[in-house]
Amino acid sequence: MHKLWQNYKALINRNCLGNTEQLHGLLYWSNRLFAAIMTYLFPFFVIALIPGEYMSITTGLYPLAIFDFLIVIAITLVALLPGISIPARKSLLIALLYMLGTFLLYYLGWYGPGLLYLLAITFFSLLIFHGKHPFATLYINVLICFSIGVCIHFKLLATGIGLQYTLGSWIAVSINLIILSATISILLPALFNGLQHSNNRYEAVAKATSDTIWDWDIVNDTIQYNYGMNKVFGYKLNEVANVKHWWNSKLHPTDVANVAGALVEAFESDDNNLQLEYRFLCADGQYKYIFDRAFIIRNTDGDPIRMVGAMQDITRRKQEEQWLRLTESALKYATDAVLIVEAEKNEQQQRKILYVNEAFTHITGYSQQETVGVFTDVVWGNTGNELKGDDLLVTFEQNDAFEVEVINHKKNGDRFWSSKSISPVKDTTGKITHWISIERDVTQTKNYVEAIEKQNIKLKEIAWTQAHIVRTPVARLKGLLNLLKEEASLPDENAEVLKFIDLSVNELDAIIYDIIKKSEKEQINLMHQLSNLKGKV
């Protein structure tokens, strides 16, 4: 029986609730009220039909018995048949109730509930149409009462009400119905207008905030969300059922115990404010970090009966915090010195240092406590020959990234070469707010390059000197050979010897010339490599 009743309610809700994705506003609540009326109207009519049919048959009112039965069948069809729009179902219900009330009034007069039906129809109509056309039922009631009065006056009704009332008594009775209908038609719409204004303010606040507002009925285990549940998490509002199970299934497994423990502790304590952080599963399968603030409402015994709260998506903040921790770790353990300075300069054109990492302390000897809050001239001091101090300040004024090599001094007074790569940090408007300087001690490399250059010069001098010293006797030998060749009286065997000596001298000269050329080429390659090495420093 219970399962049958649940299936019946589900069928009525499908036909009479309409769009259940939006669980807010007067339209939703009027449809929900209409569904509730249709749910209980059929069983109540069946219960009332049995004694009504018995009375109508025993008293000989067979038309009334048949009509009552047909009205119950018609109302059942309005509730159960698919494919009928909700406004049409509401209108058909009101029309059928009017027909039933009019028939009861005609046949039974003051013995029947006809006048009560006419008054109830006014009330039901205003509820299910949430105050729209508030005086429509009043006009219909006036028309019915006027028509019956005319029929009584001209004696057109031969039974029931026509025999029980005179025109005066009918006017006295019907005027009360009209006054009550008018009162309901005025007061209920005023109530609905107030509710609509409150709902509009709630809707405006709900749309203005990115938080997901929720209202949990702890006793009945039902919960209501605003549009954030759909906009932020992707769930349709009608998906939320069996709150504890549904909500717990969306929590990250590692957060379930912490959240449950916090709820139990809050329920058992006297504090009505609760704040939680947890991860919540979205419809797309991704988790979001949530900061949830709630207020607990208790009954007179202090037991929690309701909670109202707001879920704030802090995923981006958590990601930024994690990124900041990674960045801080990277800066902390970097081998290059990192400085962050303000963009604003003082009268001496110096900028205040906001941050230095451990590598800066290792390179310069200045600790963070000694550098943070002071100006750059304390740690940068005077620059060297490659870029003067004034030139460095001018380079800052270009408002663009640049690289320089300068001579700085350590805390103990030792000088060192510092290669700086300095970049601006800009806000959303393009204004420079800070400068970041990445610095490296290149003293050893600079000394290495200078030593190689000096050694290269010496080698070049040696190669040039040796080459020319060796070539001098070779040139002298070639000259002597030329003199001997000019002597015509030399024997043939001596001429042959001179020929071989001349060949050997020329080969030796070619070898020495080739050595000089290779030496010059190596000098060019070495200078090119040194130039590249300087560029990397």
Side-chain angles (χ1 to χ4, degrees), residues 279-320:
R279 285 160 291 180
F280 194 81
L281 182 65
C282 300
D284 61 2
Q286 302 295 320
Y287 281 96
K288 286 189 176 182
Y289 284 91
I290 303 301
F291 177 63
D292 206 338
R293 292 164 293 183
F295 180 76
I296 303 173
I297 301 173
R298 304 176 187 270
N299 59 16
T300 54
D301 296 328
D303 299 324
I305 59 174
R306 183 180 172 194
M307 285 183 69
V308 179
M311 301 168 64
Q312 182 181 5
D313 181 7
I314 59 171
T315 304
R316 183 173 180 180
R317 191 185 79 187
K318 285 289 187 180
Q319 291 173 344
E320 290 176 350

Side-chain angles (χ1 to χ4, degrees), residues 148-159 162-163 165-167:
I148 293 176
V150 170
C151 292
I152 292 174
H153 178 70
F154 290 102
K155 302 184 185 305
L156 300 177
L157 301 177
T159 183
L163 301 177
Y165 288 97
T166 63
L167 180 61

